[in-house]
Amino acid sequence: TDLDAVGCWAGPVDGLLGPRTEAALREFQEAEGLQVTGLFGGQSQGALTAAAQAGDPVCSDPEASETASTPGE
């Protein structure tokens, strides 16, 4: 996935926007200086696609997204 490509690991791909995906997306948004919403769309979508295509690792630690505290967990 694009989140994996930029080093923001969201867990196994299951096709759902769950708490791990939201946490990884929030980490990406923060690293890119975007509004942190945990939602995929608008500026986040374009920035994530561009970073993934460029192969830019933007998240500090791929393991951090996996262990980050997420709502409901």
Side-chain angles (χ1 to χ4, degrees), residues 30-52:
E30 184 175 353
E32 289 292 293
L34 301 169
Q35 182 180 5
V36 179
T37 63
L39 301 175
F40 183 69
Q43 290 181 335
S44 296
Q45 183 176 2
L48 181 57
T49 299

Side-chain angles (χ1 to χ4, degrees), residues 1 3 10-25 38 40 73:
T1 69
L3 284 169
V13 176
D14 61 8
L16 302 175
L17 180 60
R20 287 185 179 174
T21 305
E22 183 179 340
L25 187 52
F40 183 69
E73 286 193 6

